[in-house]
Amino acid sequence: MGRHRNRRAMRAARQLGVAVIVLGLLGTGVVGYRVWSRPGCTDPVKLTVGAAPEIATAIKKATDAWVDTDAAKINNRCLSITVSAADPADVAGAVAGQRQLTLSGIGKPSGATTVPDVWVPDSSLWVQRLRALSQDVLPANSPSIARSPVVLAAPEPVATSLGWPAAKPTWSDLLTKARSDSTLHLGIVDPARDSASLASLVALTGGGTAGSATTASPEARAALVAAVRTLAAGRSLIRDDLLRRFPRASDPVSLASGLSLAPLPEHAIFAYDAERPPVRLVGLAVQPAPPALDYPYIVLPLTTDDRALAASALRTVLAGYGFRDRLSAVGLRASDGSVGAGFPSQLVSGVDNGQSSALDGALAGRALDTWSSITAPARLLAVLDVSGSMLEPVPTAGGITRMACTLEAAKRGLGLFDEGWAVGLWTFSTQLEGDRDYRELAPIGPISVQREALARALAGITPKRNGNTGLYETVLAAYKAVQSGWDPGRVNSVVLLTDGENDDPGGPTIDQTIEQLKLTADPKRPVQVILVGIGGKLGEVEMRRITEVTGGSVFITEDPAKIGEVFLQALAMRPASAAGR
């Protein structure tokens, strides 16, 4: 009996010591949990575990219970395990940094982030993205230990108006409604740092296939640009900021002004509602469903065999049936989608317990590229053809002129540019300014201060009757103008709309133009040239020769009435900013 009392006393003392240490860490702002080795353990096998914050507590409790048993030994050595809450994006950046690599949208890691022996991020998307940089940076076998479906979070009154809990709306339905209903506000966390947002973006964009900005039909590409811009208008850099934007009161004004819908993992809704907010969140299952978060258990390259064995043994512990209830306590499902006691599933409707978490990293990469190309801050010079042929009527547009179609497309484009853009406006024909074929209507500048000036300039544009098309001279001048003020933090580009091939006898030839562009182009200061052609009389071959030198794309439509769709496609093809890669 005395031996049992001594053991209980020692265990109580050890637990009190752990509590004091944890409180001390929390008091100093350190986010983490420490599991110390058993008393009398002088040479423990030390293992560090970095886990997504929502699962770290469950792992810590399971690990604590295991280390407290006689079975927790590796080659007769006891264990000392540290479990820390670690932002997946920060650890991913640090893992990439070990190889002198940079993960798109993450940048260089901070010195405060360390790479653990075992990493449990929220999604295998991190594995796929890192392995896309280098196949051997992470092991291929990373089994799932938990799951959290990705749904659309909404204040309950908003969700009810959309048919919750029975409805399963589609992305298309919701985005169309958001564009027509000024009280419905969408939000998303930066998908480069947030797995739930990236999974939703893959679902929205069609996984880089049917809805991809690069491979879809013209109509689908135009719809995609509009959809992503609608979603991106409410983006936040971190999830906490997004959550603070949900309405804090249930009156109509608060509901109409607050955030209405945002893709979030199921567990985040449970955690939000546990704080008893004035308006609780519920989850709608959207179609097509984003891949679920799957919490892979990743054993990173270790320095000793004993640590590798310890990591493997801990994985077995976390695969046990008892771990399911620990997961349910923090709002997570088991890896097979099942739930334990106390799981608050009534808040989320229509979720398939077996929702797939499989996702090809290449699809995620293309979805991120699409997002970056559409939302990256830009420095753009728009150049519009005002030659005499732009006065020709367009039968498919009710008889209005080509110029009117083009100006309408430009006005729509102006509405898409957010406050992070810098935009300038030129027109061109032949001899608009003396012998010069182009005219500056507005210099490239922040759209936040010259949006109205650009709108007025567009409204005043009229074609030059009998004017020809001085395309090559204008392309050269526009390219040099953008390059001269090149901004490393933005996408620098020229977007030129024309309805005819070059017919300026006094200007440079195509060969002279190509030669000058080759001499001017600087890989350290790239300027993309996007040429948009309308009508049937175009020098498409010559246009493509230009973009082969400068980078960029050529878009052609024989029907001038479709110039608006083509312009949206052109914006979707912008490359991501070098600063954000």
Side-chain angles (χ1 to χ4, degrees):
M1 291 293 292
R3 183 175 59 194
H4 292 304
R5 283 195 299 271
N6 288 340
R7 179 175 294 179
R8 285 196 297 271
M10 291 170 65
R11 181 176 298 175
R14 182 171 70 255
Q15 291 171 342
L16 177 61
V18 169
V20 170
I21 290 167
V22 169
L23 288 173
L25 288 173
L26 293 175
T28 59
V30 176
V31 181
Y33 312 91
R34 180 81 181 191
V35 180
W36 294 94
S37 56
R38 304 182 71 191
C41 181
T42 58
D43 183 28
V45 176
K46 295 181 180 180
L47 192 71
T48 58
V49 180
E54 62 270 18
I55 199 174
T57 299
I59 294 176
K60 187 268 176 186
K61 289 182 177 180
T63 304
D64 198 359
W66 176 49
V67 170
D68 204 31
T69 68
D70 291 329
K73 288 186 177 181
I74 301 297
N75 291 332
N76 293 318
R77 296 171 64 193
C78 53
L79 301 177
S80 176
I81 302 179
T82 302
V83 181
S84 299
D87 185 297
D90 291 340
V91 178
V95 171
Q98 285 185 325
R99 302 292 187 90
Q100 306 301 310
L101 301 171
T102 302
L103 197 60
S104 176
I106 302 300
K108 299 294 184 182
S110 69
T113 303
T114 59
V115 177
D117 300 322
V118 175
W119 181 31
V120 185
D122 55 2
S123 173
S124 291
L125 280 168
W126 295 110
V127 180
Q128 299 286 359
R129 291 175 65 186
L130 284 164
R131 284 176 59 82
L133 297 178
S134 175
Q135 282 292 308
D136 62 350
V137 70
L138 291 177
N141 182 28
S142 304
S144 169
I145 64 170
R147 177 168 294 200
S148 190
V150 177
V151 296
L152 280 179
E156 189 170 8
V158 174
T160 301
S161 71
L162 295 173
W164 182 84
K168 288 187 177 182
T170 67
W171 288 104
S172 177
D173 291 341
L174 291 172
L175 289 165
T176 299
K177 185 173 179 59
R179 288 194 291 271
S180 62
D181 185 349
S182 61
T183 67
L184 196 64
H185 307 292
L186 272 61
I188 191 171
V189 185
D190 181 1
R193 295 189 61 89
D194 186 86
S195 297
S197 297
L198 179 53
S200 298
L201 188 64
V202 170
L204 169 65
T205 60
T209 54
S212 166
T214 58
T215 62
S217 67
E219 295 77 12
R221 285 198 296 265
L224 175 61
V225 176
V228 172
R229 284 202 172 279
T230 299
L231 196 60
R235 63 187 181 271
S236 296
L237 290 178
I238 58 174
R239 187 178 294 166
D240 285 347
D241 174 64
L242 180 124
L243 291 171
R244 283 193 290 268
R245 292 165 49 206
F246 281 111
R248 308 305 297 176
S250 58
D251 61 279
V253 173
S254 297
L255 291 173
S257 59
L259 185 62
S260 307
L261 290 165
L264 287 174
E266 183 182 54
H267 73 81
I269 296 175
F270 301 154
Y272 182 91
D273 289 341
E275 299 296 324
R276 299 186 179 278
V279 183
R280 75 172 185 169
L281 295 181
V282 298
L284 294 88
V286 65
Q287 301 298 321
L293 304 186
D294 61 339
Y295 298 88
Y297 186 89
I298 306 166
V299 181
L300 284 93
L302 303 177
T303 57
T304 68
D305 290 340
D306 281 353
R307 275 196 288 168
L309 290 171
S312 179
L314 176 58
R315 166 70 186 95
T316 301
V317 170
L318 300 181
Y321 187 80
F323 189 53
R324 189 180 69 164
D325 287 344
R326 299 192 191 279
L327 291 171
S328 288
V330 295
L332 294 172
R333 300 169 183 256
S335 59
D336 62 359
S338 62
V339 299
F343 188 79
S345 58
Q346 72 276 8
L347 298 174
V348 176
S349 69
V351 170
D352 179 2
N353 283 2
Q355 181 180 344
S356 173
S357 60
L359 183 64
D360 186 334
L363 302 185
R366 286 199 289 271
L368 274 178
D369 285 344
T370 298
W371 170 271
S372 297
S373 70
I374 295 173
T375 63
R379 182 173 174 272
L380 179 147
L381 177 59
V383 185
L384 306 184
D385 188 347
V386 293
S387 60
S389 58
M390 294 293 283
L391 289 168
E392 292 185 14
V394 180
T396 55
I400 64 173
T401 65
R402 291 180 175 183
M403 191 78 255
C405 290
T406 301
L407 291 176
E408 181 60 30
K411 291 174 185 177
R412 288 176 58 195
L414 184 62
L416 291 174
F417 303 152
D418 63 31
E419 300 303 292
W421 285 52
V423 179
L425 178 63
W426 287 11
T427 56
F428 79 100
S429 177
T430 49
Q431 298 180 324
L432 287 187
E433 295 278 354
D435 289 335
R436 198 171 67 182
D437 291 342
Y438 54 91
R439 175 182 293 148
E440 180 183 88
L441 300 186
I444 300 175
I447 199 168
S448 58
V449 299
Q450 67 175 23
R451 190 183 294 273
E452 291 184 5
L454 287 165
R456 288 194 300 270
L458 285 171
I461 291 176
T462 57
K464 179 182 179 180
R465 195 172 297 275
N466 300 321
N468 292 331
T469 305
L471 178 63
Y472 300 154
E473 178 183 320
T474 302
V475 167
L476 278 170
Y479 186 91
K480 292 176 181 179
V482 174
Q483 189 185 62
S484 66
W486 190 82
D487 186 338
R490 300 174 187 264
V491 177
N492 296 262
S493 58
V494 175
V495 177
L496 184 147
L497 292 82
T498 182
D499 75 336
E501 59 187 349
N502 183 80
D503 58 358
D504 178 15
T509 65
I510 184 60
D511 290 335
Q512 291 170 334
T513 301
I514 296 300
E515 185 63 27
Q516 283 295 311
L517 286 172
K518 288 180 177 178
L519 292 173
T520 305
D522 181 354
K524 295 181 179 179
R525 295 186 299 160
V527 176
Q528 304 291 316
V529 175
I530 299 170
L531 301 176
V532 181
I534 55 177
K537 298 179 180 179
L538 296 165
E540 184 175 353
V541 173
E542 290 78 8
M543 293 168 77
R544 295 195 183 280
R545 286 186 64 188
I546 290 171
T547 59
E548 286 173 2
V549 175
T550 63
S553 301
V554 175
F555 293 86
I556 302 293
T557 176
E558 292 190 6
D559 184 356
K562 295 183 178 180
I563 185 62
E565 296 176 9
V566 175
F567 188 60
L568 286 173
Q569 297 168 37
L571 292 178
M573 289 299 293
R574 294 183 309 114
S577 170
R581 301 301 279 176

